[in-house]
Amino acid sequence: MNANKQNFGRVALIGIGLIGSSLARIIKRDGLADHIVVSARTEDSLNKALELGIADSVTLETAEAVKDADIVVICTPMGAYKSIIEAAAPALKKGAIVTDVGSVKGSALNDLGPHIPEGVHLIPAHPVAGTEHSGPEAGFAELFEDRWCILTPPPGADEGAIKTITDLWQATGANIEIMDAGHHDLVMAMTSHIPHLIAYTIVGTATDLENSLRDEVIKFSAGGFRDFTRIAASDPSMWRDVFLNNREAVLEMLQRFNEDLTAMQRAIRWGEADTLYELFERTREIRRGVIDAKQA
Ligand code: NAP
């Protein structure tokens, strides 16, 4: 909760899905803004936002939404960034801060940076929290509590703007880390993007099995497959955009993963029990570390 009741003025949320609506719920709950204006692609989502009481006003027009806003938070799939910022740029007021929540930060800087007008600040951010659900009803105010939010301000970014976005995310209960965008993308390729790719691939492989075998896989999914199906149920547009926007880092990590997978294949083929045991013992330690870091 926001004990000091900081006020961020007029906040425009472009996109009101899982992440945008979670942020809106917190801003509403804690009275963090004078006004929340929401924009999305469809009337349905805007009506839902009004119904849920997480928007003070709504519009389909990006320019209308960002007009007079102190903070603009882009909460859409990253493939929409260019068209959104092109529409928003002429309407942004001097001193406004543009930020986003996208899962890849190098491309966020590349797509948004060139369109940011003089006197407007760009502070990209990535809350490292989520679920496999989408849409305005999927959000909840506790989503970011004790999770990380990584800010990737471009070199020379305004310190006051960095502080404002830091304060905003701290008010959600998130812990803040500031990082170079390229480094962020490399870390996320390993911790988030490759695991999703593996889950999508395994579930895809199962889908291609002949009918009887596929039915058995689903029936006995508690053996491990079930956990992959949860991840592989994540939003297709968002994840298509993640892989297209973080291509180099994902391919680099995938290369390493492939080498390790080949080593495992070899260990199994040659009955190298120690190799298998040592890896599984090491990975168990990682799990303990995740639990200790309260990220489980
Ligand atoms: P989501 O639930 O699918 O919601 C996306 C929102 O963006 C919807 O309100 C959609 O409007 C709107 N939108 C799409 N294209 C638009 C456009 N051209 N103009 C205006 N609005 C548009 O997505 P999400 O899970 O919140 O993800 C949003 C962002 O957060 C992504 O960039 C993702 O990388 C990042 N992120 C996601 C997670 C996660 O676990 N989901 C975690 C961290 C960061 P309509 O509903 O009207 O179509």
Side-chain angles (χ1 to χ4, degrees):
M1 295 283 273
N2 177 38
N4 302 325
K5 290 270 177 212
Q6 187 164 0
N7 191 301
F8 295 92
R10 188 180 177 92
V11 175
L13 298 176
I14 314 298
I16 192 75
L18 171 71
I19 303 292
S21 76
S22 295
L23 192 54
R25 280 170 169 87
I26 297 161
I27 294 173
K28 270 282 163 210
R29 180 193 67 189
D30 294 347
L32 299 179
D34 294 331
H35 189 100
I36 302 180
V37 50
V38 167
S39 184
R41 203 172 32 170
T42 62
E43 294 266 9
D44 266 7
S45 291
L46 296 183
N47 290 336
K48 190 53 78 185
L50 287 173
E51 239 172 70
L52 291 166
I54 55 176
D56 296 308
S57 63
V58 296
T59 172
L60 284 172
E61 299 302 324
T62 308
E64 181 62 28
V66 307
K67 193 171 67 137
D68 300 326
D70 299 291
I71 301 181
V72 175
V73 191
I74 303 175
C75 307
T76 68
M78 287 170 298
Y81 277 22
K82 275 189 192 154
S83 63
I84 287 171
I85 197 65
E86 275 168 16
L92 290 165
K93 77 170 182 186
K94 244 192 164 37
I97 303 172
V98 175
T99 182
D100 77 312
V101 298
S103 310
V104 184
K105 303 297 4 150
S107 64
L109 272 182
N110 290 340
D111 289 353
L112 302 174
H115 300 280
I116 300 293
E118 191 68 34
V120 173
H121 309 291
L122 173 63
I123 312 291
H126 175 208
V128 187
T131 73
E132 68 279 23
H133 303 298
S134 315
E137 286 167 305
F140 53 100
E142 297 75 25
L143 178 62
F144 310 114
E145 272 173 25
D146 274 331
R147 297 289 174 236
W148 287 103
C149 182
I150 301 174
L151 310 191
T152 60
D158 182 80
E159 289 299 327
I162 298 174
K163 176 160 185 343
T164 302
I165 299 304
T166 299
D167 290 347
L168 176 66
W169 282 105
Q170 274 178 341
T172 71
N175 304 310
I176 309 298
E177 183 98 10
I178 295 188
M179 231 183 243
D180 164 73
H183 186 66
H184 165 278
D185 291 352
L186 209 54
V187 173
M188 288 301 135
M190 195 64 240
T191 56
S192 171
H193 307 168
I194 296 291
H196 275 79
L197 193 69
I198 292 168
Y200 280 122
T201 310
I202 285 193
V203 176
T205 305
T207 311
D208 293 339
L209 294 172
E210 61 272 28
N211 286 350
S212 59
L213 197 49
R214 189 176 51 219
D215 291 348
E216 300 282 79
V217 166
I218 290 169
K219 183 171 166 186
F220 299 112
S221 61
F225 183 69
R226 177 178 64 184
D227 296 334
F228 287 109
T229 61
R230 184 186 62 75
I231 298 179
S234 300
D235 187 71
S237 318
M238 169 186 157
W239 282 96
R240 174 202 58 204
D241 291 355
V242 166
F243 292 114
L244 294 179
N245 284 286
N246 200 20
R247 188 170 37 193
E248 269 81 43
V250 167
L251 290 177
E252 184 181 329
M253 291 301 174
L254 201 54
Q255 170 78 21
R256 292 186 187 214
F257 176 75
N258 269 330
E259 286 167 12
D260 292 343
L261 193 62
T262 305
M264 281 293 104
Q265 203 175 350
R266 191 188 150 82
I268 293 169
R269 186 183 309 285
W270 296 104
E272 292 168 1
D274 290 350
T275 308
L276 296 172
Y277 188 85
E278 274 158 26
L279 176 69
F280 301 162
E281 198 177 39
R282 245 183 330 121
T283 55
R284 216 174 191 191
E285 277 302 311
I286 294 274
R287 175 67 186 168
R288 286 194 200 107
V290 170
I291 293 169
D292 290 348
K294 296 197 173 68
Q295 300 300 307

